[in-house]
Amino acid sequence: MSNYLVALEAAWLVRDVEDIDDAIGVAVSEAGKRLNQQDKEYVEVDVGATGCPACGEPFDSAFIAASTSLVGLMLEIEIFNADGEEHASRIAKSEVGGALRDVPLDVIEVIETEGEDETDE
């Protein structure tokens, strides 16, 4: 069994905003609040990055139209004692998805992390 860092992308809708920075702040705050209410304060929440189609440079994943914003959030969670990357992904989506109901989630990256020495086997 191994430990994994799983990065998820979430699509967060923010209504009645005029500024990208406000939309990002509201999205991060609301997501953090919902995770904390479900005792998931160990999930890291940050704004995601999208590559510019012209130059490839990353910029904040947020778009505003008609005072409504779609913000792409990056959520990171450490999964312990998973059987593999697929298992870690399913655990992460279950943990985060349970707290953020009705929020679309995609697994972006799964990285195996160093665990404690397993000398007890």
Side-chain angles (χ1 to χ4, degrees):
M1 297 231 176
S2 299
N3 301 334
Y4 296 89
L5 179 65
V6 180
L8 302 163
E9 182 179 48
W12 201 273
L13 199 61
V14 181
R15 299 183 190 282
D16 299 322
V17 291
E18 300 294 328
D19 181 68
I20 289 288
D21 291 332
D22 290 342
I24 290 170
V26 168
V28 170
S29 176
E30 286 179 355
K33 181 178 177 181
R34 283 179 57 184
L35 287 162
N36 289 342
Q37 287 173 342
Q38 298 292 318
D39 296 324
K40 309 276 190 237
E41 48 277 318
Y42 48 86
V43 177
E44 293 292 322
V45 180
D46 203 359
V47 65
T50 300
C52 173
C55 67
E57 287 294 315
F59 60 91
D60 289 341
S61 292
F63 177 78
I64 293 180
S67 297
T68 302
S69 179
L70 178 64
V71 179
L73 295 178
M74 181 67 66
L75 308 169
E76 290 184 345
I77 181 172
E78 183 84 23
I79 302 298
F80 300 98
N81 299 322
D83 291 330
E85 288 185 9
E86 182 64 32
H87 186 223
S89 296
R90 286 195 316 268
I91 293 169
K93 283 185 84 169
S94 175
E95 284 286 310
V96 174
L100 302 180
R101 296 212 182 275
D102 301 324
V103 175
L105 295 173
D106 274 339
V107 175
I108 301 300
E109 189 173 24
V110 180
I111 301 169
E112 187 171 358
T113 59
E114 295 294 321
E116 296 178 14
D117 292 337
E118 296 179 9
T119 56
D120 298 301
E121 293 184 41

